[in-house]
Amino acid sequence: TFAQGTTTVLWTATDGSGNTVTCTFDVIVSDTEVPVISGCVSDISVNNDNGDCGAIVTWLPPTYTDNCGATMTSTHNSGDYFPVGTTTVTYTVIDDADNVSVCIFDVIITDNELPQLTCNSNIASCDSFVVFNAPTVSDNCGIVSVTQTSGFPSGTFYPVGTTTVTFEALDVNGNTNTCSFDVTIHP
């Protein structure tokens, strides 16, 4: 049995008179067998952790075998924090002969958390000139816009009767939410 690598074999022949002759040759054993990865994870899709713009994700790491010994590295580990979006995880196994096997999968974090809006309380007045505050808005990943979608702007005159004022917030991941309040002007 010869180990991986190059082994020089020396043959010596001696005749009855003590004359000798030698020859050598090399036995080269190459490891061309790639490591075998078992249990490669399929793509993982999860929602963001509540109040966060990402999630901590766990999985069962793959295992490997090799005929001559190898080491495994990973770009990410089970239990790491992943931001909203797609992150590619790569496990790489390299054996002592530089044969390589990889396991690749995506961790996909979706932000399904709606923006939070707090509107004014309802307003009732005999004065038709109405001033109100814009809603307070927060989001786990960030707000793109807050738009008034119904009613009249603050600091304008409102007609007698009840008018509903509605605001809509849009976050960076396309989630929307609304809040509203009524402005009632008495005659």
Side-chain angles (χ1 to χ4, degrees), residues 48-129:
N48 64 293
D49 290 342
N50 189 35
D52 209 344
C53 195
I56 294 174
V57 180
T58 60
W59 61 85
L60 185 61
T63 59
Y64 68 92
T65 56
D66 187 70
N67 60 324
C68 291
T71 57
M72 181 166 65
T73 59
S74 178
T75 57
H76 300 83
N77 295 307
S78 177
D80 281 353
Y81 175 86
F82 291 84
V84 167
T86 301
T87 303
T88 299
V89 176
T90 303
Y91 280 89
T92 304
V93 178
I94 301 175
D95 72 10
D96 296 342
D98 293 330
N99 296 307
V100 178
S101 290
V102 294
C103 160
I104 299 172
F105 60 93
D106 289 333
V107 174
I108 304 151
I109 308 297
T110 303
D111 174 22
N112 286 326
E113 195 166 328
L114 301 180
Q116 299 301 305
L117 291 88
T118 304
C119 276
N120 268 9
S121 298
N122 291 336
I123 298 172
S125 175
C126 291
D127 184 359
S128 61
F129 184 77

Side-chain angles (χ1 to χ4, degrees), residues 1-25:
T1 300
F2 291 89
Q4 177 185 331
T6 301
T7 303
T8 300
V9 177
L10 170 66
W11 283 91
T12 303
T14 305
D15 65 13
S17 300
N19 298 311
T20 61
V21 65
T22 62
C23 76
T24 61
F25 61 92

